[in-house]
Amino acid sequence: MEYRKIKDEDNDGGTLSNDIENLRGIGFSGVASVSNVPPREQAKWKRKTVVTVALTFLTSSQAILIVWSKRAGKYEYSVTTANFLVETLKCALSLAALARIWKSEGVTEDNRLSTTLDEVIVYPIPALLYLVKNLLQYYIFAYVDAPGYQILKNLNIISTGVLYSIILKKKLSDIQWAAFILLCAGCTTAQLNSRSDHVLQTSLPGWIMAIVMALLSGFAGVYTEAIIKKRPSRNINVQNFWLYISGMAFNAIAILIQDFDAVMNKGFFHGYSIITTLMILNHALSGIAVSMVMKYADNIVKVYSTSVAMLLTAVVSVFLFGFNLTLAFFLGATVVSVSVYLHSAGKLQR
């Protein structure tokens, strides 16, 4: 894993992760003048904004669809087969997008599927990391309850920031680090309830598994960004195709290990419903949105997007499931909002 080489090639290719820095000196007098921003930079910002907003709304609806997909509090369908179909659908959508590009632009060096082994061999790594993380989720519940797990998941925010700086060598300002810590604190505060104190009584194995899961998730995300940006001119749909092929392979292995008997006895699509289908579609579109954020923005944007999505989910749940918003939620939402502002201000002041 030549991370330094990946980073150097990323810088040579002129990635979009430093868009804000590129705009310094263009004419800030409190707010940048849009007329002073080159058309190419405006197009980059528009594309980044679209994929970030799409990711936020798609992620916010994921938890709602998952809850709706249950019957009597249980999943009647196989979760592993659903994950496999998500990867399959993402792969099909990427191929469909490529077909349109081939028809309009022709086949070029950057959008052809044929590639070298050196380029393809890195794509299974994040897929394997996510598979291990997902398997750990089944075991961590032996040491912590569901509300506690949601709080411990916020360790992923810090791990992403640390690994982002170490692996990609992207320096965050002091204000941005403060904003990142506030983001973690705000998300945790928003999730507090009467049973949250039990998190402090989590046993050592539970803490170790939570930390390992956070590191795996953060590393997988940062590594994905590194390999996607290693070749900036490479069409994102080609990169997605190889990512999702790897995901299909590992999820097929998960089916064989975990649900082989159930699939053979009840059928692959046993327990599926319209809501399940919508959930799979949502997860597929969310996955594509994540990869596009990795391509045109970075992991930091993804973390903020998914954190805001968590708050949106809670608000929507008030109307759909009678969820009661607590004082802790409003305080947490306020802290998250301050964090978003500080992160943006920190970029402009670097």
Side-chain angles (χ1 to χ4, degrees):
M1 304 177 189
E2 301 179 0
Y3 300 121
R4 189 180 301 275
K5 181 179 179 182
I6 289 176
K7 175 64 175 63
D8 292 340
E9 293 181 8
D10 179 25
N11 286 339
D12 293 340
T15 64
L16 303 180
S17 60
N18 295 318
D19 284 346
I20 294 181
E21 288 80 353
N22 293 337
L23 296 179
R24 287 188 305 175
I26 291 178
F28 283 104
S29 58
V31 179
S33 173
V34 176
S35 60
N36 291 332
V37 180
R40 184 184 177 193
E41 296 297 333
Q42 292 185 34
K44 291 179 181 178
W45 272 101
K46 182 178 179 180
R47 182 166 50 187
K48 182 186 293 187
T49 301
V50 168
V51 297
T52 303
V53 171
L55 176 61
T56 301
F57 282 98
L58 286 168
T59 304
S60 64
S61 59
Q62 276 185 8
I64 295 172
L65 288 171
I66 290 174
V67 172
W68 274 348
S69 70
K70 291 183 178 180
R71 294 178 183 175
K74 296 181 179 180
Y75 299 113
E76 292 192 359
Y77 59 91
S78 168
V79 175
T80 55
T81 60
N83 289 337
F84 177 81
L85 290 176
V86 168
E87 296 300 318
T88 303
L89 182 56
K90 288 191 293 185
C91 190
L93 291 174
S94 298
L95 284 176
L98 272 177
R100 291 187 60 184
I101 293 174
W102 292 334
K103 185 176 181 180
S104 60
E105 302 176 7
V107 179
T108 66
E109 185 66 26
D110 288 326
N111 66 26
R112 68 173 70 247
L113 282 178
S114 58
T115 182
T116 62
L117 179 62
D118 289 339
E119 181 181 3
V120 173
I121 200 171
V122 297
Y123 288 110
I125 296 175
L128 177 60
L129 292 174
Y130 280 124
L131 176 63
V132 175
K133 181 187 77 72
N134 292 335
L135 290 176
L136 279 178
Q137 288 179 339
Y138 291 99
Y139 297 100
I140 195 173
F141 284 107
Y143 305 97
V144 63
D145 57 11
Y149 170 72
Q150 293 299 321
I151 292 176
L152 291 175
K153 275 181 63 178
N154 292 321
L155 292 172
N156 176 52
I157 295 175
I158 301 299
S159 71
T160 299
V162 172
L163 294 170
Y164 178 82
S165 299
I166 294 175
I167 297 176
L168 296 181
K169 302 189 183 304
K170 299 291 185 68
K171 184 179 179 181
L172 298 177
S173 67
D174 292 339
I175 294 179
Q176 287 178 299
W177 275 117
F180 230 52
I181 295 173
L182 282 177
L183 179 66
C184 183
C187 290
T188 302
T189 301
Q191 295 169 329
L192 294 179
N193 55 46
S194 59
R195 302 178 60 188
S196 297
D197 287 343
H198 292 149
V199 174
L200 299 177
Q201 279 75 52
T202 300
S203 62
L204 181 59
W207 279 107
I208 292 176
M209 294 179 71
I211 293 172
V212 170
M213 287 175 58
L215 290 173
L216 287 173
S217 180
F219 184 77
V222 172
Y223 190 83
T224 300
E225 180 180 345
I227 62 179
I228 284 180
K229 288 182 175 176
K230 181 179 179 181
R231 185 175 170 182
S233 61
R234 190 64 153 151
N235 187 280
I236 182 62
N237 295 294
V238 175
Q239 295 174 312
N240 281 345
F241 172 81
W242 291 113
L243 276 172
Y244 302 149
I245 283 290
S246 302
M248 288 174 62
F250 284 116
N251 277 281
I253 295 174
I255 294 175
L256 294 176
I257 295 175
Q258 184 175 327
D259 290 325
F260 179 76
D261 291 337
V263 170
M264 293 299 295
N265 295 329
K266 299 180 180 179
F268 193 92
F269 297 101
H270 174 77
Y272 277 64
S273 64
I274 295 178
I275 297 299
T276 309
T277 304
L278 291 176
M279 182 194 69
I280 291 173
L281 176 61
N282 174 277
H283 276 69
L285 294 176
S286 298
I288 292 175
V290 167
S291 67
M292 295 184 73
V293 167
M294 297 290 190
K295 182 79 169 181
Y296 304 122
D298 52 44
N299 267 278
I300 306 301
V301 172
K302 187 197 82 169
V303 167
Y304 274 94
S305 177
T306 53
S307 297
V308 172
M310 180 269 293
L311 301 179
L312 289 177
T313 300
V315 173
V316 174
S317 296
V318 172
F319 303 97
L320 297 180
F321 308 115
F323 182 77
N324 295 320
L325 297 182
T326 63
L327 177 61
F329 174 84
F330 287 107
L331 292 175
T334 301
V335 173
V336 169
S337 300
V338 172
S339 172
V340 173
Y341 171 78
L342 285 178
H343 178 75
S344 301
K347 274 195 171 184
L348 293 176
Q349 293 179 12
R350 280 200 325 190

